[in-house]
Amino acid sequence: MRLQVDYTRRLALDGIFVALALLLSYIESVVGFTAILPGAKLGIANLAVMLAFFRTGKADAVLISLCRVTLMSLLFGNFQYFIFSLFGATFAYLAMLFISRISSVGRVGISVASAAAHSVGQIVAAALIYSSLVLVSYLPILLVTSILSGTLNGVLLILIERRLEVIYKRKDAKLEK
Amino acid sequence: MIERKKLPFVRRGDVVVIFAVLALAMALALGVILLGSGAEIGSRLEVHAPSGVSYYQLSDDATFDISSEGYTLRVVVSDGEARVDLCDCPDGLCRRMGSISRAGESIICVPARVKLVVSGENGGNDDAIAG
């Protein structure tokens, strides 16, 4: 089900998604995974982007992702952080776009592909910045962690969408009264 | 509103995607291992920092600190191998990159913008080796 919303409502919804993405980004930067595996993240910020991707629209998801990257870089990062995030987010989005066209792949598959592409994007950014391919040797580990975080996010996404549908149904029932 | 059938959490396509990513990871790991083992033993350690490049001999045991971008890395050279022993950078990735001894191998500390590269007799090319 895709929401048929007017532009004002859509804009407000996108704003909420940006805020949600930013909050989730912050949470995952605080959760200390990087101490065990540098570069490995929960990827929950992608939840907000994926939710927007499936709920409001593909174009909305791009804008939310870009806003998240820009705001996070301005708030907590630097130019280098911006480049790394931008590459990760772009790769993640493109993977989401392509994989979601395959009908047999569900939310979990899309989420895993997106997480894996994010890792690839970050390594590509590192390779460009340092003009060295040495970090490619780290990619296999990141890809394996992407499978774990991607699966987690895919399942979370399904659960959130189910809850949302219940909420929308209740709202529709109320309006009919 | 149309009642939608609940889809299973994991579908067949999802499994295919997971295995594809796993296969990619294994292929990359294999490639890195195969390409890395063929390189000659390096003789010189190049330290690239924003302030410039300095050189050390891998045959001489040494411990030295590199300060860059507000971070300090302690590099230890022993038994022809170099590694980052201590670093106060936030991710600590450079410490986890292990020891380097073969020509072309390198350790990068992203926050400190420092790159350690081993070069051989005829000068190592890190890109060609790291695959």
Side-chain angles (χ1 to χ4, degrees):
Chain A
M1 181 203 71
R2 192 161 149 190
L3 290 175
Q4 293 299 319
V5 286
D6 61 57
Y7 281 115
T8 315
R9 202 175 148 192
R10 188 166 162 186
L11 190 64
L13 206 55
D14 284 353
I16 294 169
F17 276 130
V18 171
L20 189 64
L22 208 57
L23 184 68
L24 291 172
S25 287
Y26 180 69
I27 291 172
E28 75 181 1
S29 74
V30 173
V31 173
F33 258 117
T34 46
I36 313 159
L37 271 171
K41 283 190 295 187
L42 276 175
I44 46 174
N46 203 30
L47 266 180
V49 178
M50 285 194 291
L51 204 56
F53 186 89
F54 294 115
R55 285 275 148 184
T56 45
K58 294 181 166 81
D60 304 62
V62 178
L63 290 174
I64 289 156
S65 191
L66 289 179
C67 283
R68 180 189 75 83
V69 168
T70 312
L71 289 170
M72 276 303 283
S73 306
L74 287 173
L75 286 170
F76 305 108
N78 48 34
F79 185 67
Q80 194 173 304
Y81 177 98
F82 177 71
I83 296 296
F84 272 87
S85 301
L86 188 66
F87 269 77
T90 309
F91 275 63
Y93 179 79
L94 290 176
M96 210 186 293
L97 197 64
F98 286 117
I99 300 292
S100 65
R101 284 165 167 258
I102 306 167
S103 59
S104 65
V105 180
R107 300 290 196 252
V108 173
I110 294 166
S111 174
V112 169
S114 183
H118 182 270
S119 301
V120 174
Q122 297 225 304
I123 296 294
V124 168
L128 289 176
I129 290 174
Y130 297 102
S131 55
S132 162
L133 288 175
V134 69
L135 279 171
V136 171
S137 58
Y138 193 58
L139 190 54
I141 304 163
L142 279 187
L143 285 177
V144 173
T145 59
S146 296
I147 294 174
L148 300 176
S149 66
T151 307
L152 171 81
N153 285 321
V155 171
L156 280 175
L157 185 67
I158 294 170
L159 290 173
I160 292 168
E161 283 190 282
R162 281 184 187 172
R163 294 301 302 166
L164 279 178
E165 240 157 73
V166 172
I167 292 167
Y168 284 132
K169 252 179 222 167
R170 260 188 221 149
K171 213 168 116 193
D172 287 351
K174 246 184 206 169
L175 288 174
E176 277 166 24
K177 266 182 198 169
Chain B
M1 188 185 277
I2 309 146
E3 184 72 41
R4 257 202 350 181
K5 206 174 73 185
K6 271 188 186 174
L7 289 163
F9 277 94
V10 180
R11 294 162 66 184
R12 212 175 53 209
D14 299 345
V15 180
V16 175
V17 170
I18 289 170
F19 275 102
V21 173
L22 206 59
L24 181 68
M26 291 204 293
L28 271 170
L30 202 67
V32 167
I33 292 165
L34 288 179
L35 284 168
S37 59
E40 58 170 324
I41 299 293
S43 59
R44 195 170 65 162
L45 178 70
E46 298 173 10
V47 178
H48 298 257
S51 53
V53 187
S54 45
Y55 301 96
Y56 299 87
Q57 288 301 318
L58 279 177
S59 52
D60 304 335
D61 288 3
T63 302
F64 51 91
D65 290 338
I66 304 160
S67 294
S68 168
E69 305 279 317
Y71 303 110
T72 306
L73 290 86
R74 172 155 295 163
V75 180
V76 174
V77 178
S78 68
D79 301 326
E81 291 185 335
R83 65 189 159 84
V84 175
D85 193 37
L86 285 171
C87 182
D88 52 4
C89 59
D91 58 11
L93 181 54
C94 47
R95 276 185 289 121
R96 287 161 200 280
M97 291 177 96
S99 299
I100 51 172
S101 58
R102 293 175 188 277
E105 283 186 323
S106 58
I107 294 174
I108 290 176
C109 183
V110 176
R113 302 177 65 84
V114 168
K115 187 164 91 168
L116 310 175
V117 190
V118 175
S119 55
E121 297 301 323
N122 34 10
N125 179 352
D126 50 331
D127 289 4
I129 306 299

